[in-house]
Amino acid sequence: MNFSITTCLNKQEYIKVMFVGLYKKPGFILATIIGAYFLITSILNYCNVLDAYAYSPLWDALLGFFLLLAPSIIIVIAVNQLKSNPSLLSDMHYTFTDLGMTVTGKTFKSEFSWEHIMKQKEIRNYLILYHTKKFGNFIDKSKLTTEQLVFIKSKIGVNS
């Protein structure tokens, strides 16, 4: 089966996908809960509503604030990396074959055999095909038919 699609990732959708992806991870969920706990108890202690600390909880409040902001910091870094290569926000042409996929952008062309796709992940309207632990291609699932999506998933399932 051979087919091609053209899609474009915009910055706002990328940010949404990143937030959803981070908050699916148990570590980030736990860190957010702990951060909220530290921040709320520190504020309540400061306002004399709660007497939970025998010391000034300034460091606890800062830690809580940091834990709440950590996903946002990660996303800001990722968006800055995305903005440093504007061709990633332009149209991408994907061609899928039995041997692999070819990605053609404004200034580049990459070919990946199915063996080099490490994993796949579905987040919101995107299928992300990872070719390294941190980098992957965002494929808009709305541009794919059900058969095409099943084809891609079957190819990655065989080799990952």
Side-chain angles (χ1 to χ4, degrees):
M1 173 181 235
N2 293 346
F3 60 93
S4 296
I5 62 167
T6 300
T7 185
C8 184
L9 179 67
N10 66 47
K11 188 171 74 171
Q12 290 76 21
E13 192 64 26
Y14 180 72
I15 291 169
K16 289 177 191 174
V17 168
M18 290 291 293
F19 266 115
V20 170
L22 287 176
Y23 278 110
K24 281 187 171 181
K25 295 182 178 185
F28 280 99
I29 294 169
L30 182 62
T32 300
I33 292 168
I34 292 170
Y37 170 79
F38 280 144
L39 192 59
I40 291 169
T41 57
S42 298
I43 291 170
L44 292 176
N45 190 75
Y46 179 78
C47 295
N48 294 322
V49 174
L50 185 67
D51 191 22
Y53 296 94
Y55 56 91
S56 174
L58 176 62
W59 291 110
D60 291 1
L62 290 174
L63 176 62
F65 191 65
F66 173 76
L67 289 173
L68 287 174
L69 284 182
S72 298
I73 293 168
I74 291 169
I75 290 169
V76 165
I77 292 168
V79 168
N80 282 337
Q81 289 175 344
L82 185 70
K83 286 194 289 187
S84 70
N85 190 352
S87 64
L88 295 176
L89 293 173
S90 62
D91 283 345
M92 299 280 189
H93 184 74
Y94 294 93
T95 301
F96 300 94
T97 67
D98 288 326
L99 300 175
M101 73 174 188
T102 302
V103 183
T104 307
K106 195 175 193 178
T107 59
F108 67 91
K109 180 178 181 179
S110 300
E111 294 183 10
F112 301 96
S113 62
W114 292 121
E115 298 90 42
H116 292 105
I117 305 295
M118 296 176 65
K119 69 177 180 175
Q120 62 184 345
K121 185 185 280 187
E122 287 186 71
I123 301 176
R124 294 179 53 97
N125 296 330
Y126 289 91
L127 175 65
I128 306 171
L129 302 178
Y130 289 91
H131 42 88
T132 69
K133 286 186 177 185
K134 295 183 180 183
F135 297 106
N137 296 97
F138 285 70
I139 299 163
D140 187 349
K141 291 190 308 188
S142 69
K143 305 275 182 158
L144 298 170
T145 65
T146 303
E147 295 81 22
Q148 291 170 338
L149 187 58
V150 168
F151 171 79
I152 294 169
K153 288 180 171 186
S154 72
K155 288 297 186 177
I156 294 169
V158 168
N159 300 312
S160 48

